[in-house]
Amino acid sequence: MQTQKARKLLMIPGPIEFEPAVLAALAEPTPSHVAPDFIEVFGRALDNLRTVFQAPDGQPFVMAGSGTLAMEAAVANLLEPGDRVLQINTGYFSDRMAAICERSGALVTHVPAPAVGDAPGLAEVERALQQDRFKLMTITHVDTSTAVLTDVAALAKLARSAGALSVVDGVCSVAGEALPMADWDVDVALTASQKALGAPPGLALVMARPRALEAFRRRTRPVASYYADWSNWLPVMQAYQARKPAYFGTPAVNLVLALDVSLAQIIAEGMEARVARHARLSEAIKAALTALGLSQVPLRPAVAAHTLSAPYFPAGVDGAALLGKINAAGVILAGGLHPALRTRYFRIGHMGAVNAADVLATVGAIEQGLHGVGYRFDAGSGLAASQRVMQGQAGHPPFA
Ligand SMILES: *Cc1c(COP(=O)(O)O)cnc(C)c1O
């Protein structure tokens, strides 16, 4: 075991740092998946997921797997060969969703962002919707490769008025960004345990609202994925919700125990307070980056996520060396992911249990790293900018 002094702060866009009570659930003696106590926990977790997704009429699905399985389950259950999908593209994970849709035999039309770091405009989306009859619109709420945030409320409305179902990849947004599914009339949203939801990697979560379930029931051909098929999982989820035993594939029981603890903590904080905390701490990090002279991949605050930040390396700075020095100063950050600029930027995850002290530790380590690679800046200026935001003395900075 690492000592507390040797411990480094994990500030990547998933997996994140987890609450001790969540981690303790992993060390519980593994129960039978049909033990009465476990049935109660799983049933409660499913009920609480409706609260966290703000979808009282939603059907949750919890499967062992990563976020990519959740993406696949969300669309494979709705698509049949020849169906058309409109993909709102903001980066790497949007491309992945398109590839998953194609695997189900769908024909995918992309609405590309005008530039990396931007989101497609609503007028363009409207135009694309008029060109064809689409069964689904797929939206990446926060694309973790670009830190771009999309306007899910407006996009879901456009999808509805064109008769398409909206599917939101919320892996980097659920429980961090505002995503009131029922209020925004989003049909399907999905996530994974290891991001803002605050439980270790290994659970794929999908919330399907009535229109999506109806489209699933009306399909004429079997679902292309056997494991992800809702025909297998729906009776299991309904059984646990009714506090009855059921089996299709063995649930990741200890992860479900951990999820239950995390969901209770999220609900105790309150969705609005949680979203506001993510926004405030995100602004504090972004203000520090601006003060230090680092520009960011999202082109402006309106398209910038609150669950992670994506700063460019300053000109002339060796990115790998900088990340190494930041690590040596005690904070683990992530490299780039978008293929067009992979080596030019880095990523800071700030979701889940993140607090003001984590922000200051991270900005401090970034300053130490910058100093270590010979970058010239006012020592402490990043920290001061973060403090001003966290003390309510400054709002959203420009990103220049
Ligand atoms: C992390 C992430 C995924 C993939 O999740 P895995 O658990 O790595 O499979 C998908 N979409 C988004 C937006 C993500 O951030």
Side-chain angles (χ1 to χ4, degrees):
M1 289 278 270
Q2 233 178 27
T3 62
Q4 280 293 88
K5 282 202 177 8
R7 150 183 182 276
K8 289 182 196 283
L9 186 63
L10 184 63
M11 295 289 284
I12 66 172
I16 61 165
E17 298 231 326
F18 302 114
E19 289 281 356
V22 170
L23 292 175
L26 296 183
E28 293 268 330
T30 299
S32 159
H33 58 290
V34 290
D37 288 0
F38 179 73
I39 290 171
E40 175 55 35
V41 169
F42 203 167
R44 180 172 62 214
L46 292 168
D47 294 344
N48 284 345
L49 279 171
R50 288 203 189 86
T51 305
V52 169
F53 280 77
Q54 293 163 272
D57 58 356
Q59 174 59 55
F61 294 88
V62 177
M63 295 177 295
S66 83
T68 305
L69 175 68
M71 295 167 78
E72 179 152 10
V75 296
N77 281 286
L78 300 175
L79 291 175
E80 298 189 50
D83 284 343
R84 291 179 190 279
V85 173
L86 191 69
Q87 161 62 47
I88 311 304
N89 199 306
T90 48
Y92 176 93
F93 287 105
S94 303
D95 288 341
R96 177 174 292 187
M97 186 56 114
I100 292 170
C101 290
E102 282 166 355
R103 195 60 72 86
S104 283
L107 305 167
V108 179
T109 301
H110 289 264
V111 187
V116 176
D118 207 345
L122 295 177
E124 224 168 316
V125 174
E126 235 177 325
R127 247 193 318 279
L129 281 169
Q130 284 158 7
Q131 305 300 310
D132 243 315
R133 175 140 189 90
F134 295 98
K135 183 160 190 192
L136 303 186
M137 177 194 286
T138 61
I139 305 160
T140 315
H141 196 182
V142 170
D143 198 298
T144 321
S145 72
T146 52
V148 166
L149 175 75
T150 51
D151 184 350
V152 169
L155 290 166
K157 205 173 198 177
L158 289 181
R160 175 71 70 238
S161 62
L165 296 169
S166 54
V167 175
V168 175
D169 173 351
V171 178
C172 200
S173 73
V174 169
E177 301 280 358
L179 179 54
M181 263 188 96
D183 282 359
W184 290 357
D185 208 8
V186 168
D187 295 302
V188 181
L190 62 104
T191 190
S193 46
Q194 77 274 17
K195 300 204 183 170
L197 213 50
L203 292 179
L205 305 104
V206 179
M207 185 67 73
R209 292 190 51 248
R211 277 191 173 88
L213 291 172
E214 185 52 38
F216 164 70
R217 288 194 189 97
R218 277 202 311 267
R219 57 181 302 134
T220 57
R221 277 162 286 195
V223 175
S225 163
Y226 180 79
Y227 181 78
D229 189 341
W230 288 345
S231 315
N232 293 322
W233 289 110
L234 193 53
V236 175
M237 297 302 139
Q238 287 171 337
Y240 279 108
Q241 282 160 211
R243 308 300 193 263
K244 292 186 183 131
Y247 167 75
F248 164 62
T250 307
V253 278
N254 281 83
L255 283 172
V256 172
L257 300 181
L259 175 71
D260 176 54
V261 174
S262 188
L263 292 174
Q265 290 181 343
I266 291 168
I267 289 168
E269 181 176 15
M271 298 311 295
E272 253 178 60
R274 189 171 175 90
V275 166
R277 172 170 59 82
H278 280 79
R280 187 173 64 252
L281 298 178
S282 172
E283 285 187 20
I285 295 239
K286 287 169 171 67
L289 296 171
T290 300
L292 293 169
L294 274 59
S295 60
Q296 296 175 53
V297 176
L299 295 178
R300 53 187 184 282
V303 293
H306 306 96
T307 48
L308 83 159
S309 298
Y312 283 103
F313 295 118
V317 162
D318 174 343
L322 174 62
L323 290 180
K325 299 232 183 257
I326 294 171
N327 185 306
V331 177
I332 301 166
L333 303 182
L337 181 62
H338 193 285
L341 26 112
R342 202 189 300 275
T343 59
R344 291 175 45 209
Y345 76 111
F346 61 111
R347 294 175 302 150
I348 308 161
H350 32 79
M351 54 185 129
V354 64
N355 63 24
D358 296 334
V359 167
L360 295 176
T362 301
V363 173
I366 292 172
E367 289 201 12
Q368 285 200 58
L370 288 169
H371 173 74
V373 296
Y375 175 73
R376 294 171 63 86
F377 66 101
D378 272 345
S381 57
L383 288 164
S386 285
Q387 292 280 37
R388 278 194 295 274
V389 171
M390 291 193 293
Q391 291 161 6
Q393 296 164 29
H396 231 312
F399 278 12

